[in-house]
Amino acid sequence: MTSARPDPLDDAETIPRMPSWVTSARAETIEDVAFLSGAALGHLHIVVTRDDLPHPLLRDRLALRAAEACVAFSGRPERAGELRDAVYLLRPGDLPGPAGETFMTWRRVVRRPVSVSVLCRAVPTLEQSQIDTWLNAGQGAPISRAAMVLQTVLMEAPRAEALALILAEASLAKSLGWKHLIPLLAPGLKRADLRKQGDDLRLACHRALIASAVETIRLAADLARRAEHVKAVAPKLRAKGAAKAMEMFLARDAVAAAALPLPSRAARRLCDRLVDLRAVRELTGRGTFRLYGV
């Protein structure tokens, strides 16, 4: 009897999990929760600064999660699948719609090193001086600063949830010395949290960060394993343009075959081949207008 072939994605984890005491501890006071969120941030910092992580892909996928949360906060029904369709199947001259634009904005802010100029280009309706003022509204430790930025923006623009969260995330990234914005607060906060202020909002932000840090580390570990498999598969691909295509898969949450630098038929064959090799997955479950991702 022959043994089953080993699954290339079942290798031992290369990225350590969050210590169990961070997630299992019962903390009620803001001091206790702040301690745990600090521990979570410290562990997350070690993970997101690793060289073996597909950083652009991780940020792009987190941008999808952040956009999905913001769309829900605004009362719209679109979820991840619809957001992907709105952006990755967009044709020249078409508009992505409000939900798609939210996703595109998050993608823009995570792709380049965080700065006021990048934020201005991502949200062109705002003056640079206004963004700079809001970014500097916070004081104290990183999460306290981010919570204050969030509160300040929402007080002045109550329906601008996505903008407020983007600036809060930017404040957090700059306070932590991270080169890029990594969405953590948006995926972890609840809609009711955005109506809180002061200590209540800070407490909600600490708790949101703990939850998001755990999920981000789990996602990072999964993407690191998958990226390693993609790189192992790459030498087997002989199609012209395959190397560029693999770079796209390692940098984007999703890719349409039509976006690959190959003729349409060759692009579809390459995607089918990558699915067979378990290097990418088909994300939509459809027979047409398919999207693929690591």
Side-chain angles (χ1 to χ4, degrees):
M1 180 176 179
T2 58
S3 60
R5 293 177 60 188
D7 189 330
L9 300 182
D10 284 344
D11 295 335
E13 284 194 3
T14 59
I15 293 178
R17 295 183 180 181
M18 183 75 70
S20 59
W21 58 266
V22 174
T23 56
S24 62
R26 296 185 62 181
E28 300 296 336
T29 69
I30 191 169
E31 291 82 4
D32 290 341
V33 177
F35 172 77
L36 294 175
S37 69
L41 266 180
H43 190 76
L44 180 62
H45 179 81
I46 294 172
V47 170
V48 299
T49 54
R50 290 173 62 111
D51 293 334
D52 59 344
L53 194 63
H55 295 279
L57 175 57
L58 174 64
R59 292 195 302 270
D60 215 42
R61 195 145 290 173
L62 289 173
L64 175 63
R65 292 186 179 183
E68 186 179 30
C70 289
V71 168
F73 292 153
S74 68
R76 298 188 63 87
E78 294 91 343
R79 293 299 178 261
E82 290 89 348
L83 295 179
R84 281 179 169 141
D85 286 352
V87 172
Y88 297 116
L89 299 178
L90 192 67
R91 295 179 178 179
D94 288 348
L95 297 176
E101 184 59 44
T102 298
F103 183 24
M104 292 178 72
T105 299
W106 276 101
R107 293 185 76 217
R108 288 193 290 265
V109 298
V110 302
R111 283 188 163 189
R112 295 183 177 274
V114 61
S115 68
V116 173
S117 60
V118 166
L119 294 171
C120 282
R121 288 194 293 272
V123 192
T125 56
L126 290 179
E127 297 289 338
Q128 180 169 329
S129 59
Q130 180 63 79
I131 290 179
D132 195 47
T133 298
W134 278 336
L135 272 181
N136 289 297
Q139 298 178 357
I143 300 177
S144 294
R145 291 173 65 91
M148 196 173 296
V149 170
L150 180 60
Q151 176 178 316
T152 300
V153 178
L154 287 176
M155 287 180 66
E156 298 184 30
R159 301 187 66 181
E161 297 94 349
L163 170 62
L165 286 161
I166 286 171
L167 294 181
E169 304 276 18
S171 170
L172 182 63
K174 290 174 71 68
S175 296
L176 295 170
W178 290 349
K179 186 176 180 181
H180 289 84
L181 184 155
I182 299 176
L184 297 171
L185 295 172
L189 287 168
K190 298 178 175 61
R191 188 174 187 178
D193 292 331
L194 301 183
R195 297 192 291 270
K196 297 176 180 177
Q197 296 184 1
D199 286 348
D200 290 338
L201 180 58
R202 283 194 289 275
L203 184 62
C205 287
H206 282 298
R207 286 177 170 155
L209 190 138
I210 295 170
S212 286
V214 172
E215 288 301 315
T216 298
I217 291 170
R218 185 178 294 122
L219 176 61
D222 180 56
L223 292 180
R225 290 194 302 271
R226 291 182 179 277
E228 184 177 358
H229 182 52
V230 168
K231 293 173 183 176
V233 163
K236 301 178 182 179
L237 305 174
R238 304 190 183 281
K240 186 177 181 180
K244 179 63 176 177
M246 301 307 276
E247 291 178 8
M248 294 173 64
F249 281 116
L250 289 174
R252 302 185 185 185
D253 163 68
V255 178
L260 296 175
L262 292 90
S264 58
R265 184 175 297 179
R268 290 194 297 270
R269 284 201 304 265
L270 176 62
C271 290
D272 290 341
R273 172 71 169 149
L274 291 173
V275 171
D276 289 341
L277 292 170
R278 301 191 63 194
V280 303
R281 296 167 291 167
E282 202 288 309
L283 301 173
T284 69
R286 296 189 295 249
T288 58
F289 300 105
R290 290 180 163 187
L291 295 172
Y292 301 86
V294 172

